[in-house]
Structure formats: C-alpha cells, structure tokens
Amino acid sequence: MSHSRIPQFYKFSVADRLRALLEREVISETEYDMLVDGTHLLDADKADRLIENVIGAFGLPMGLGLNFQINERDYLVPMVVEEPSIIAAVSSAAKLVRRAGGFVSRAERPMLIGQIQVVNVPHAAHAKQAILQSKEEILNLANSLHPNMVARGGGARDVEVLTHGATAGHGEMLVVHLIVDTRDAMGANLVNTMCEGAAPLIEKISGGEVFLRILSNLTDRALVRAKAVIPPSLLEAGDYSGAEVRDGIILANEFAEMDPYRATTHNKGIMNGIDAVAIATGNDWRAIEAAAHAYAARTGRYRSLTRWYKDNDGNLVGELELPLKVGTVGGQVESNQAVKIAHRVLGIESASELAEIMCAVGLAQNFAAIKALSTHGIQRGHMTLHARSVAMAAGATDAQFDEVVDRLIADGDIKVWRAKEILADLEERPAVEKSGAGGRAGRTVEPEVVGHSDAVGDMGYGKIIVLGEHSVVYGRHAIAAPIPLNVRAEVRPQPEQIDLLIPRWGVEMRFSEPEGKISSLHESITLIAERLGVADRGMRIDVSPRVPRANGLGASAALAVAVIRAMARCFGIKLSEREISNLAFDVEKIAHGTPSGIDNTLATFGRPILFRKDNPAARPEIRDLATARPIPVVIGLSGVATLTAQTVGNVRAAWQKSPARYEAIFDQIDGLALAGVDALARGDIAELGDLMNIDHGLLNALQVSSWEIEELVEIARTHGALGAKLTGGGGGGAMIAVAEHDKIQEVASAMRAAGYNSFITEIRS
C-alpha cells in the first residue's frame, strides 16, 4: 500500500481526513485530538513569547500535498498556504510523476556562510594571506564557541577570504567567509555567534577593523537538485498529444530562460510549493526566497531555476537546482505544535531529507503550472478554487455554498459583491417559489443527490464480541452486538474492467492488471464477483469504511457484506440475508483461515445475537437477544493492528498440544456467555461486568491479550467500569468496557487521556 496516495482525499470532510491519517498511523491519537479541537494552534499567550507587541495569532490553512514518491519513498507533504489551487496542482503533478517512477532528489552537505567585513586594511593581499595561514586557529576559536555542535559532527569547516577593493571612505575591504556545518539546525544564531567570536582575532591578523559580522542567506553551499523523467504517453491532455504537451513545456521553460519578466513569475510558481512546506515545517521562508532568487541571478541575468528538455528517448526531463538551507530542530519546531505535527506527518529524519522533499515539491509545482499554461490555460482550475474562497468570504452557508460557487463560475465575475448578490437571490427564492409570484418564473427545488445517479450502495455492520471469543471457534456460545461503525459500498457499471477504490485505506486496485502477489482483498472481491456471476462485467466499487482495520471489530466481514449487497443491487441479483451471510463467510475464510462465522452474521443482520456453531457443515444456531435497557459500552482501541488469523492459529496450536486443558477453558467461557444472556435480559450491568472480567482472565490465559489491552482494561476499571475485556481476536486491536451511564464518559475520557482512541456505544435490542 502506498503511503502518500489517498484517493479522493479532497472529497473527504476535514474530520474524515484526520481519521484517515490516524488509521494510517500518519498522526498519533494525541495529534488527532489536537487537530480536531484546534489546540495545535498558537494562542495569543504563546505567540506573545515568540515575537514583540503581540495582539493575537494569525491563522493560515494547512493542507497535504499527496502522491509524492521521492527517492523511492512515499511522503505526505504538509503545506501552509492561502492561495487556492496550489495544493491541488502539486498533488496532481506528483500523481503523474509517481506513475513515471517518482522524483529523484539529492542534497549536498548543507553549509552556511558567515561573513566578517574587514575595512581600513593596510595591505589587502598581505592580510588575505595571513588570514588563510591562520585558518586552523580561526576555526578552533569558532568551534570552541559551540562545542555541542562540534560533538554532533558539525561546526566551522573552512575559511575563505574575498577582496572587494577600496571603499568610499574606509580603505580596502576584505570579507572573511566562515563556512559552517550546522547539521539539522537552520543555524543563523549559531553562525552569527561564531562570527562575533572570531572578529577580534580577524582584526589582529589582518591589521584592519571589523565592521559587520553576520551570516549570508545566499546558501549556495547547500544546493539541492530534483529531477523527474516523464514519458510522453503520460502527458496527454484532452486534445493535446503527449508530444505536444512535452514540447509546449519545453518552450514555456525557454521563455523563462530568456526573459527575466517571465522568469520572475516562473520562479514564483516554484516557490509557491517550497514556501508552503517551509512555513509548515517552521523554517525561514523569507531566507529561502532570498537565496533562491539571488541564485537565479548568479550569472548576472535573472533566469529560470528549472530546466525542462527532451532526452534521447523522447521523454520530458525536468530538473530544479537551488540553495535550500533548512532546519528540523530548534525553537520554531519545539515551540509550535502545528509545526511538530507537520514534522510527524512528513516522517523525516534529517534537514537534508527535508530539503530534498522541498526541492521535489518545487519541481512538481513548476510542472503543474507550465503544463496548464501550455495546454488549457491555468485559469480554469484556479478560478474554481478562487470561487470557493469568495463564496466563503461572502458568508455562504453549507446549504448555499455549492450553488454560489457554480453561479460565480458561470457568471465569470468572481467577486465578493457578486457572491453576496447571489446569496440575496437565494434567500428570496423560497418565498417566490412557494407563492409562484414575482417577476421570475418559479422552479422546482430538486433534492440533493449524493453519489452517482447510476450507482447503488449498501453497508455491512461492525461488531463487538461481548463474551465468547475463541471458544466460539470450538462450538461454544458467544454473545455479539453490532456497533455504529460500518462499511458502505457503492457499485456502478462501467466498461470492461473492475476497479476497486477504498480511499481511507489507500487502495486503488484494477483487476485487469495482474498483481505480483494476489492480495486477500483482490481474492475476496474476485470470489464475490464469481459467485454472483458478474466476474466478466465491468464495474467500479467505491468503499467507505468507518470500521478500523485489524482491530477485531469485524472490518473484513463488514466490507464483504457491503460489497455483496451493492454488487447484487447493481446487477439486479436477488439474495436473501442468509445467502449474503454465507457468501461473506466464504470471503472471511480468505482473510482469517478458520473463522467462527460470527463476524459475517453480525455484519449481515446487525442485531445482538447469541451465536453457536458446533458443526462446520451445519447452519449456526442464532438467537436474537433482548436487553431490558440499553447497556452503555466504551470501545477502546489499542493502536496495535492484529490479524485474527494469527491469534486463532496460535490458540489452535496450543489446543492441539493440550486439548483437554483448553477444552476445559472453552467450557468455562461458554458458561459465562450463557450467563451473560440472562444478565442482558435483566439489564444487570454489574453482573455482566463480572462475567466480562472473568472472561478476560480466561482469554489472557489463552495468551491472546497484549500490554496495551491490559493497560486499557486497567484504566477502564480504575475509572468506574464494572467490567472490561478484550474483544475480537486479541493480540492488540480493541477492548470493551461496560459502566453505568454516569460513569461511561469518564471511562472514555481516561482512555483518551492515556493516548488511546475510544468511543461510546450501546448494546440494545
């Protein structure tokens, strides 16, 4: 599974995007909570400790650049920027380039230059020679000022001397360059301190007077280069052939090479991406901008930072070279939670790695811009996003938003005043339409249509096992209940192939393309299509899972049931609920080896049941359960993914070794499950809790728990839970706890405070 490819991410709500990042372990539970409730943002008090005369904190949107593959590694790239279209464009460019093999990016060992200005020099040539002869002494002095940096492998590395001739009133001028390796720090303060400390020694050696002592932001000793090679076949755009697009991009770049007016806008586009990453990661974007533009003028003529050309095989080749001195440690990173989260999302290990990412982002941004300019033009996509900003600024509500955007684009006059006129029109319309009066003809307001008009969908339920895990595989009883998390599937016909998209899990699968190793998901969908007799039909399957994977909550069964229902409806196939459950059971065999049958049953029927299947060839015994009152339940997620097949296999191996011993344990668990039926019927939460606690001890004896689950169980019991145990296969995954209504929130909050995810549900008939 790719890490940076999250299909249709832009269609998610913000909450669903964050949930997808949490489930993919891009962000931690604590970071998820911060992003949800906004505590990652600077408040005025924190801001007051960073700069002077603070009156508040200013916010900018933070988004993710998707699809990046750089040096054969996937990256999700945080970007902070207010301009529409930038993130969409760079993500689209990265998607195309990843199909061509991704970006290659290389950073030199990053060095900063500190400058010491020396004036009134009696003899410039002699002074220059004397300073160079004293290089080791100067370096030793500079490094003595920052021993910790030297211990980390950095420090002052070299001394250079430049002569600039006579000044207007201070004689000859020398400039001493102190070349410093600042490792993963941006290093401005460090270099300035070294320059200050070395200044008296420079005066003594040169015989002149030191005036300015400061770093240079022209960081041409920290160059980074990114490259992409794209076959013409990937460049086709509407009526434009791949070769036409390639040649258009090359011609557009030649314009920027030859014309400084064009080069300025060309390079601004590059920096759109680089600056956005710099701000997100707490780097000095102003210094980065200054260095880039100075480097673009290094020949005496301002020109393009990128180079686009055709190689011998006819491929389009893009290259970007620029100075990028960035940092991954220091005050900006440590003092700003939003920056810390951005670093976590990137998953970088060094400043050089960050610079390589930023350079690739700059190249992608440039590619997106000049490809659009040389084909359909840049305005079409940009104006759509601009219209969204204008609609928001005008105060459009969620219900009005899309229509305001559509009408702004249709009018071609994307201004706030025009958006307000449209809003006023929308506010008048209901009264006019109801009465049929007024100067404009009344019209029927159509209901909102979600999804495709030719698509059909359905869902499968997630589940918890209240009592009876593992023993149910050996013919004993188990109590299971549905949870409000589910998996939804939508199927619509299309020509030829079968496509499967699960954006939340990063799955994009085309069944006509052979896989090196057939995955269980591929095998499962193929089995469903074959059993329904539609394996030769083309279809697109969109799946929206809200059940976390590999947590023992029945995600695979819920997915199977949802796809079976949606596929059957799409092609007009009539299936009974029992047939759906049976087919899902066969799919579960692919995922779990020897499933009990309980997951597919719950996923299909979605109601609390007592389940038993003592004969693999016979139908399971299923009895609906009644509860005297809703039973509050907290589900805690350990954050550790686990495969049910593995824990079931481990228990089977132990059972085969000592069948009598394990049969006795299974009998005890069976008795607890049967007693639980009565406790539910009476609504006796205390009794149910006792049964769960005993069951958990027996499951622990089966060695299917984990230290995370044990910690969650202890937290739950300490904060008022009457019972707590693992649920599902174990080995990680999830646990459940029951408590009275006045304690249930405390239990859930305690789990979250300890860094775990939790949510509250109920068992009800």
Side-chain angles (χ1 to χ4, degrees):
M1 182 191 301
S2 66
H3 172 69
S4 68
R5 180 80 186 106
I6 309 179
Q8 300 184 15
F9 192 67
Y10 70 98
K11 291 185 178 180
F12 291 10
S13 66
V14 174
D16 281 348
R17 289 175 194 150
L18 293 175
R19 175 61 60 184
L21 295 180
L22 177 63
E23 291 178 354
R24 294 160 70 91
E25 298 183 353
V26 173
I27 57 175
S28 69
E29 183 68 36
T30 300
E31 290 160 341
Y32 170 82
D33 289 339
M34 285 182 175
L35 289 163
V36 167
D37 59 27
T39 54
H40 68 295
L41 299 174
L42 282 176
D43 57 29
D45 289 338
K46 292 176 183 175
D48 193 40
R49 294 193 286 271
L50 297 178
I51 64 168
E52 308 78 27
N53 301 339
V54 165
I55 60 170
F58 185 84
L60 285 172
M62 181 163 70
L64 288 182
L66 305 176
N67 308 319
F68 275 94
Q69 187 177 77
I70 305 167
N71 300 332
E72 299 183 346
R73 181 180 170 188
D74 272 24
Y75 293 95
L76 287 167
V77 184
M79 302 175 72
V80 171
V81 64
E82 86 294 344
E83 183 177 333
S85 81
I86 287 176
I87 294 178
V90 81
S91 298
S92 178
K95 181 180 178 182
L96 189 150
V97 173
R98 79 178 287 125
R99 292 170 61 196
F103 296 92
V104 175
S105 190
R106 295 288 182 263
E108 294 180 354
R109 188 173 188 179
M111 300 287 185
L112 264 184
I113 297 173
Q115 293 187 296
I116 303 172
Q117 179 193 21
V118 189
V119 295
N120 296 325
V121 180
H123 196 296
H126 290 171
K128 177 178 180 178
Q129 184 179 8
I131 291 169
L132 292 175
Q133 288 176 343
S134 303
K135 179 189 297 187
E136 291 304 317
E137 184 180 1
I138 295 168
L139 293 175
N140 288 337
L141 174 59
N143 284 328
S144 70
L145 300 171
H146 280 283
N148 290 337
M149 178 60 68
V150 176
R152 292 196 295 271
R157 290 282 181 255
D158 201 2
V159 173
E160 298 173 345
V161 183
L162 287 74
T163 56
H164 289 301
T167 64
H170 294 279
E172 292 285 328
M173 182 195 296
L174 269 70
V175 177
V176 179
H177 280 184
L178 196 61
I179 313 299
V180 184
D181 180 355
T182 62
R183 310 306 289 172
D184 289 331
M186 283 199 73
N189 292 331
L190 180 150
V191 171
N192 289 339
T193 300
M194 286 186 168
C195 289
E196 292 278 358
L201 178 58
I202 297 294
E203 282 189 336
K204 178 181 177 183
I205 295 169
S206 67
E209 299 175 15
V210 169
F211 189 49
L212 297 185
R213 305 164 293 273
I214 188 138
L215 87 157
S216 170
N217 286 126
L218 178 51
T219 53
D220 57 2
R221 308 302 172 86
L223 292 178
V224 189
R225 299 172 183 87
K227 181 177 181 179
V229 181
I230 308 170
S233 60
L234 297 179
L235 294 171
E236 295 175 1
D239 297 333
Y240 294 88
S241 69
E244 287 175 322
V245 175
R246 176 199 62 201
D247 295 343
I249 289 171
I250 293 170
L251 183 58
N253 193 82
E254 288 174 341
F255 185 8
E257 279 286 299
M258 298 175 181
D259 187 302
Y261 291 92
R262 172 64 201 136
T264 302
T265 307
H266 181 97
N267 290 339
K268 184 265 182 185
I270 295 169
M271 303 312 293
N272 276 343
I274 291 175
D275 288 349
V277 183
I279 295 170
T281 56
N283 279 279
D284 186 348
W285 62 271
R286 301 161 304 281
I288 292 169
E289 278 271 354
H293 294 299
Y295 192 71
R298 66 191 181 281
T299 62
R301 182 181 180 86
Y302 187 88
R303 59 202 306 170
S304 167
L305 287 165
T306 55
R307 178 174 173 242
W308 292 93
Y309 61 93
K310 179 174 68 173
D311 67 12
N312 293 333
D313 296 321
N315 299 312
L316 176 67
V317 182
E319 296 175 343
L320 171 60
E321 177 184 271
L322 79 166
L324 269 175
K325 183 66 183 77
V326 296
T328 54
V329 297
Q332 279 296 329
V333 177
E334 296 302 319
S335 62
N336 193 324
Q337 285 292 345
V339 171
K340 292 171 75 172
I341 290 172
H343 280 257
R344 157 86 171 179
V345 170
L346 269 172
I348 49 176
E349 297 180 359
S350 68
S352 293
E353 186 180 2
L354 174 57
E356 289 169 349
I357 293 168
M358 291 169 71
C359 192
V361 170
L363 183 58
Q365 203 81 60
N366 180 244
F367 170 73
I370 57 177
K371 179 175 180 285
L373 282 169
S374 58
T375 53
H376 300 292
I378 204 165
Q379 285 299 90
R380 184 168 64 183
H382 181 78
M383 285 300 99
T384 299
L385 291 167
H386 180 49
R388 295 175 66 84
S389 298
V390 169
M392 183 180 296
T397 65
D398 289 345
Q400 299 165 329
F401 189 80
D402 288 339
E403 184 162 358
V404 173
V405 170
D406 290 344
R407 289 178 60 176
L408 283 171
I409 295 169
D411 291 351
D413 203 356
I414 304 177
K415 301 288 193 302
V416 173
W417 65 264
R418 177 60 185 137
K420 289 182 177 179
E421 284 188 350
I422 295 170
L423 285 170
D425 179 53
L426 292 176
E427 288 168 3
E428 291 175 8
R429 182 192 297 164
V432 172
E433 288 169 351
K434 286 175 185 175
S435 65
R440 91 176 53 86
R443 71 183 183 90
T444 302
V445 179
E446 296 292 336
E448 181 183 2
V449 178
V450 179
H452 305 281
S453 60
D454 58 346
V456 292
D458 226 313
M459 70 178 183
Y461 303 93
K463 68 92 180 61
I464 54 172
I465 297 181
V466 183
L467 295 163
E469 290 88 347
H470 289 284
S471 63
V472 71
V473 178
Y474 298 85
R476 273 61 169 198
H477 295 86
I479 296 174
I483 57 176
L485 301 180
N486 55 52
V487 176
R488 293 185 178 273
E490 183 180 90
V491 175
R492 60 188 174 99
Q494 67 178 19
E496 300 178 359
Q497 76 276 348
I498 298 175
D499 290 332
L500 173 67
L501 278 83
I502 312 179
R504 187 182 292 273
W505 294 350
V507 173
E508 275 185 301
M509 192 177 291
R510 173 158 288 181
F511 284 64
S512 59
E513 297 174 358
E515 292 193 341
K517 180 182 178 182
I518 299 297
S519 65
S520 61
L521 187 56
H522 188 290
E523 190 176 349
S524 297
I525 301 300
T526 300
L527 176 64
I528 293 170
E530 288 175 349
R531 290 286 185 87
L532 297 182
V534 294
D536 59 342
R537 305 285 293 273
M539 69 187 86
R540 170 172 166 151
I541 308 166
D542 289 279
V543 178
S544 301
R546 296 184 178 276
V547 183
R549 283 184 299 172
N551 275 269
L553 298 177
S556 62
L559 186 147
V561 168
V563 171
I564 292 166
R565 283 179 167 149
M567 201 179 291
R569 287 198 181 191
C570 179
F571 295 105
I573 301 167
K574 293 184 177 180
L575 293 175
S576 68
E577 295 290 85
R578 175 56 57 195
E579 288 172 321
I580 292 171
S581 181
N582 289 343
L583 178 49
F585 178 69
D586 289 339
V587 173
E588 281 285 271
K589 292 177 183 177
I590 296 171
H592 300 312
T594 56
S596 66
I598 200 167
D599 284 19
N600 54 281
T601 303
L602 255 293
T604 304
F605 295 99
R607 56 182 185 264
I609 60 170
L610 179 68
F611 179 95
R612 180 171 180 259
K613 186 175 183 179
D614 61 354
N615 184 344
R619 277 189 178 186
E621 299 173 19
I622 301 173
R623 172 182 157 193
D624 288 348
L625 294 182
T627 57
R629 58 170 171 148
I631 308 294
V633 177
V634 177
I635 300 176
L637 301 181
S638 71
V640 179
T642 179
L643 294 176
T644 300
Q646 182 176 339
T647 54
V648 169
N650 292 342
V651 172
R652 181 165 293 278
W655 170 75
Q656 289 172 338
K657 186 177 179 181
S658 305
R661 182 177 302 162
Y662 279 81
E663 286 290 335
I665 295 175
F666 297 152
D667 285 340
Q668 292 182 68
I669 294 175
D670 187 53
L672 296 173
L674 292 172
V677 173
D678 294 334
L680 284 172
R682 298 192 309 273
D684 190 339
I685 299 177
E687 172 67 9
L688 181 64
D690 284 343
L691 297 171
M692 289 169 60
N693 289 332
I694 298 169
D695 191 12
H696 182 71
L698 294 171
L699 291 170
N700 210 336
L702 295 178
Q703 301 181 56
V704 293
S705 189
S706 69
W707 72 264
E708 294 90 353
I709 291 294
E710 294 304 313
E711 182 175 35
L712 280 164
V713 166
E714 180 60 26
I715 290 169
R717 292 172 180 168
T718 301
H719 288 84
L722 297 172
K725 61 178 284 292
L726 68 83
T727 187
M735 55 76 65
I736 56 173
V738 294
E740 294 290 356
H741 285 282
D742 60 347
K743 285 290 185 180
I744 202 72
Q745 187 61 58
E746 181 182 340
V747 174
S749 297
M751 292 179 184
R752 284 187 172 272
Y756 295 100
N757 193 18
S758 65
F759 57 93
I760 297 171
T761 184
E762 290 181 335
I763 303 171
R764 60 166 64 221
S765 54

